Amino acid sequence: MAYPFQITSLNQYHIDYKKSIEQPEEFWATIADTFYWRKKWDNVLEWNFNEPKIEWFKGAKLNITENCIDRHLEKLGNKPAIIWEPNNPEEKVRVVTYNRLHKRVCQVAQMLKNNGVKKGDRVCIYMGMIPELTYAILGCARIGAIHSVIFGGFSAQSIADRLEDANAEFIITCDGAYRGAKDIPLKAVIDDALIGNKTVKKVIVYNRTRTPVSMVKGRDIWWEDEMEFAEHQIENEGNVHFEAEEMDAEDPLFILYTSGSTGKPKGVVHTCAGYMVWTTYTFVNVFQYNPGDIHFCTADIGWITGHSYIVYGPLSAGATSVMFEGIPTFPTAGRFWDIVDKHKVNILYTAPTAIRSLMSFGTEPIHNKNLSSLKILGTVGEPINEEAWHWYNENIGLQKCPIVDTWWQTETGGCLISNLAGITPSKPSWATLPLPGVQPVLVDETGNEITEKDETGLIKGNLCIKAPWPGILRTTWSDHERCRVNYFATYPSLYFTGDGALKDGDGNYRITGRVDDVLNISGHRIGTAEVENAINMHSGVVESAVVGYPHNIKGQGIYAFVIYNGTDGDENLRKQDISATVSKIIGAIAKPDKIQFVTGLPKTRSGKIMRRILRKIAEGETSNLGDTTTLLDPGVVDEIVQSKL
Ligand code: WTA
């Protein structure tokens, strides 16, 4: 057993699960004991879901970077922490050892300090998938600044909104980022986001693509110059490294914005100690990581999966984490398999949408690739359909690798429901059993626990969690009430996930998808209200309604019903204009897949749009639309059905 808290048998899973529920404080204290603390906690857990107030390891002092880096240096200093695979396979791979990571993170912390960043300040990070992104994140954590990473696909307007909400004074970015055949001008997007911004004092720019950028005097500075200066400074001051800031267990570690059912993304806040313990514990147990294994999570660090399972979880466990700059289909659809072959990857963690997209190229891209190093496969982000599960199992895992289907959310910090690779049974398309510390419950509309099985022998309901685990969100930035209303008020004393689920007689869970107005497009969360707001910004649009529909590759596609009164005639051009507007306001990831122009929307007499009906129409249903008699104008439904795309 490589880690003291590693679950190594089904029996131990059951014992640990039971203990985690009956004696949570003892259970988590034993696990937390294996980390490095400047000072241990006074209390393991204090909580109530009504405020909500959730405090783990209160009174403890730590710095997460000492756990992710310093504590490994003696034994693992020369071992790779990060193996970086560039977008262009001809460019050189970079291997970052723990020693090197330590040095760079200290330099970043010093650089931030030199530029006025203090504990608690918000630093927005908008970079491509390069090692410097990891240095930036950990540099913030080392100095105690709160990082807020923004995915490179978000627009200037989205960044501006997040900067304002977080009141961020500092930005770390790149001139550009490579993504497949594209070169994305990140700094130019930041420049647009900063028009009218009054809080940002410094923008640190790393030179990746040598894209020409405008550098504003006094505000914009080059990473390379600042890092060199910081390096000499640490040496000249005779320090071995940059001393990590001592943080309280419950000090915020980062903010990550995510979509909900309202128009405005929420800044989910995770704190230092609980998040650290949860990501490390789940990383080791779900993936059954053993020292020396090469772990490859294909997510972008702009999303929670990258935060937890490229950066914090693996590094805290002293693992080797592969970081990939590119996309699965560039330069060929064999890119993932080349990387697995080249770096002898043992654990591959990706999204169902990537699997489905690669499936569509057939098995030719896999031929001649040696995938024998693979031991464990994982998926995350959306329900995996059985066809994709079997394809992954047969062609990639060669039927010898357990597949972990990990269900979790930005708000949960790490996996909550998942099989443990090779330890607990898998079931295609089922996330299966809760991890120790996680108490799921399925409720009906009014919040009553459902215990009755339906005719198929399954329990079906809305998925809630009864008690806190260490990685649960603590608040939403700048608005605690919003956190309460969003997650803890739908059903009293329960955390509501927004997902629906099924449960079988063995206690396995199958996630069926969101039950709120949140879409899951290629594993990315997007609120329908956000997309509608963006569409409505277009001058010719009167009103719109957005719903999801099944999409072969993306899982869900975006279907927009739009009332338009502009005078421009060409329908295709109008559609392009609307898409361009959405790209500008949110980012290209939120562009509608289908736009249907309509003269009216189905509304109740009180003016509420009946999305249920629109969803059915988008899904291709033409009859059986349910009761339409309560509609203000039932005729509008026929018209929409007839002009359906
Ligand atoms: C969905 C991603 C089914 C779910 C880590 C959840 C899943 C949302 C799975 C969170 C899974 C994630 N099976 N559905 N294994 N994993 N989801 O915040 O709807 O980007 O609520 O976090 O993705 O998305 P988020």
Side-chain angles (χ1 to χ4, degrees):
M1 186 178 52
Y3 297 88
F5 48 78
Q6 190 158 358
I7 299 170
T8 54
S9 68
L10 182 58
N11 190 37
Q12 193 195 339
Y13 162 77
H14 287 300
I15 294 170
D16 283 11
Y17 186 81
K18 191 162 178 274
K19 177 155 190 209
S20 77
I21 306 306
E22 288 171 0
Q23 297 168 287
E25 303 210 7
E26 289 82 345
F27 182 80
W28 290 107
T30 310
I31 291 163
D33 258 333
T34 65
F35 289 78
Y36 173 70
W37 305 90
R38 296 266 186 103
K39 175 184 171 284
K40 292 260 171 89
W41 48 92
D42 302 321
N43 257 338
V44 177
L45 173 62
E46 279 174 34
W47 68 288
N48 76 65
F49 271 174
N50 296 325
E51 291 180 42
K53 180 181 96 160
I54 303 152
E55 292 174 332
W56 281 94
F57 310 112
K58 199 176 173 192
K61 305 272 187 200
L62 77 157
N63 186 290
I64 197 167
T65 70
E66 291 184 328
N67 283 276
C68 289
I69 309 173
D70 304 47
R71 68 166 165 156
H72 306 313
L73 292 179
E74 199 182 321
K75 284 202 181 132
L76 303 175
N78 291 318
K79 290 271 179 317
I82 297 167
I83 297 175
W84 177 75
E85 176 68 31
N87 180 60
N88 179 348
E90 309 211 323
E91 199 183 326
K92 215 169 135 257
V93 167
R94 288 166 65 187
V95 177
V96 183
T97 61
Y98 274 94
N99 280 333
R100 174 57 60 105
L101 182 65
H102 177 241
K103 183 168 176 186
R104 291 285 177 257
V105 169
C106 286
Q107 275 173 264
V108 172
Q110 181 72 52
M111 162 172 83
L112 294 173
K113 185 174 177 194
N114 292 346
N115 283 287
V117 179
K118 299 178 307 300
K119 177 177 174 180
D121 288 347
R122 273 78 57 216
V123 178
C124 159
I125 303 178
Y126 188 66
M127 300 174 90
M129 284 286 288
I130 51 177
E132 284 70 19
L133 165 57
T134 308
Y135 308 159
I137 287 175
L138 295 172
C140 286
R142 192 150 186 104
I143 197 171
I146 303 168
H147 57 78
S148 168
V149 182
I150 302 181
F151 174 62
F154 280 113
S155 69
Q157 183 63 53
S158 296
I159 298 169
D161 294 344
R162 286 159 172 77
L163 288 172
E164 190 187 311
D165 186 76
N167 220 320
E169 291 178 335
F170 305 92
I171 297 178
I172 308 178
T173 187
C174 300
D175 51 350
Y178 294 121
R179 250 181 94 74
K182 290 193 202 136
D183 170 352
I184 300 159
L186 297 182
K187 173 63 165 61
V189 179
I190 290 290
D191 289 340
D192 287 348
L194 287 178
I195 295 171
N197 175 289
K198 295 203 173 51
T199 53
V200 172
K201 295 182 192 149
K202 284 276 160 65
V203 180
I204 301 175
V205 185
Y206 177 79
N207 185 339
R208 169 71 184 122
T209 55
R210 296 198 160 268
T211 306
V213 290
S214 87
M215 295 291 280
V216 174
K217 195 179 285 168
R219 187 194 74 186
D220 299 354
I221 51 182
W222 292 108
W223 165 289
E224 289 80 355
D225 298 345
E226 296 291 313
M227 284 287 273
E228 205 185 304
F229 184 73
E231 181 174 9
H232 292 143
Q233 203 180 349
I234 294 175
E235 282 166 13
N236 292 345
E237 288 176 7
N239 295 328
V240 280
H241 67 187
F242 184 94
E243 187 64 17
E245 183 77 27
E246 188 165 282
M247 306 294 283
D248 284 330
E250 285 295 338
D251 278 336
L253 174 64
F254 66 83
I255 306 171
L256 187 59
Y257 284 87
T258 188
S259 296
S261 41
T262 61
K264 199 172 152 248
K266 307 175 281 249
V268 168
V269 175
H270 284 290
T271 56
C272 296
Y275 177 79
M276 171 180 80
V277 170
W278 188 247
T279 52
T280 316
Y281 178 79
T282 54
F283 171 70
V284 165
N285 281 306
V286 169
F287 301 103
Q288 288 293 306
Y289 186 85
N290 283 303
D293 284 347
I294 311 286
H295 170 78
F296 176 23
C297 166
T298 71
D300 191 292
I301 292 177
W303 307 102
I304 191 70
T305 306
H307 280 62
S308 300
Y309 298 115
I310 296 177
V311 182
Y312 286 111
L315 296 178
S316 168
T320 297
S321 183
V322 176
M323 184 175 175
F324 173 43
E325 185 187 39
I327 57 170
T329 49
F330 178 86
T332 71
R335 193 69 170 105
F336 278 0
W337 325 128
D338 280 331
I339 296 174
V340 169
D341 190 341
K342 182 167 163 190
H343 300 295
K344 303 281 165 278
V345 168
N346 305 114
I347 304 168
L348 175 68
Y349 189 31
T350 193
T353 184
I355 298 170
R356 286 192 300 266
S357 140
L358 295 175
M359 262 168 77
S360 69
F361 292 87
T363 51
E364 204 277 326
I366 308 169
H367 294 159
N368 304 323
K369 306 285 154 65
N370 184 351
L371 304 182
S372 63
S373 57
L374 286 173
K375 294 194 292 193
I376 285 148
L377 302 176
T379 71
V380 59
E382 49 173 320
I384 180 164
N385 48 312
E386 292 202 24
E387 194 192 353
W389 194 98
H390 288 293
W391 188 88
Y392 198 32
N393 183 38
E394 278 151 35
N395 297 290
I396 308 305
L398 310 173
Q399 292 187 323
K400 66 176 176 58
C401 302
I403 299 178
V404 289
D405 180 348
T406 64
W407 172 82
W408 57 295
Q409 311 179 297
T410 304
E411 295 84 349
T412 71
C415 308
L416 289 203
I417 302 183
S418 174
N419 47 319
L420 311 181
I423 303 292
T424 62
S426 67
K427 184 170 176 182
S429 297
W430 288 67
T432 74
L433 300 171
L435 268 89
V438 178
Q439 301 185 56
V441 47
L442 297 179
V443 301
D444 64 17
E445 291 300 311
T446 53
N448 293 318
E449 181 163 354
I450 306 173
T451 45
E452 294 278 295
K453 293 185 179 133
D454 66 8
E455 60 291 351
T456 60
L458 301 172
I459 296 173
K460 182 172 195 253
N462 290 347
L463 179 61
C464 294
I465 317 282
K466 275 188 204 167
W469 60 97
I472 189 174
L473 87 161
R474 303 302 197 264
T475 186
T476 46
W477 185 262
S478 79
D479 194 348
H480 191 64
E481 175 62 7
R482 196 154 172 227
C483 174
R484 188 187 71 79
V485 170
N486 259 291
Y487 304 107
F488 300 94
T490 316
Y491 306 115
S493 299
L494 293 174
Y495 165 79
F496 178 41
T497 65
D499 280 318
L502 302 169
K503 185 180 177 184
D504 72 9
D506 298 324
N508 291 307
Y509 289 88
R510 176 181 193 151
I511 311 301
T512 49
R514 302 287 305 197
V515 293
D516 55 6
D517 291 322
V518 172
L519 305 178
N520 193 327
I521 313 297
S522 301
H524 299 157
R525 261 167 82 167
I526 298 171
T528 52
E530 264 176 89
V531 183
E532 286 164 8
N533 289 350
I535 292 175
N536 296 349
M537 296 287 278
H538 186 276
S539 59
V541 171
V542 179
E543 198 177 6
S544 64
V546 164
V547 295
Y549 72 97
H551 187 288
N552 282 345
I553 305 253
K554 296 176 166 188
Q556 264 190 316
I558 301 182
Y559 198 120
F561 297 89
V562 176
I563 306 177
Y564 195 88
N565 80 349
T567 47
D568 44 332
D570 188 295
E571 202 173 292
N572 265 329
L573 272 179
R574 277 191 217 164
K575 287 186 182 174
Q576 287 175 31
D577 288 348
I578 290 174
S579 285
T581 311
V582 175
S583 275
K584 271 274 175 247
I585 306 287
I586 304 176
I589 49 171
K591 275 204 259 183
D593 297 278
K594 293 187 179 176
I595 298 176
Q596 178 179 350
F597 292 109
V598 295
T599 57
L601 292 167
K603 286 188 181 171
T604 58
R605 292 203 176 84
S606 60
K608 201 168 155 321
I609 297 174
M610 295 283 273
R611 286 162 193 288
R612 175 174 56 76
I613 295 175
L614 292 175
R615 227 175 274 136
K616 284 202 166 168
I617 297 175
E619 283 166 8
E621 204 53 75
T622 48
S623 47
N624 286 332
L625 295 174
D627 183 12
T628 54
T629 53
T630 56
L631 291 179
L632 191 60
D633 174 11
V636 84
V637 174
D638 295 335
E639 186 211 302
I640 296 176
V641 170
Q642 265 145 37
S643 64
K644 164 129 193 342
L645 299 172

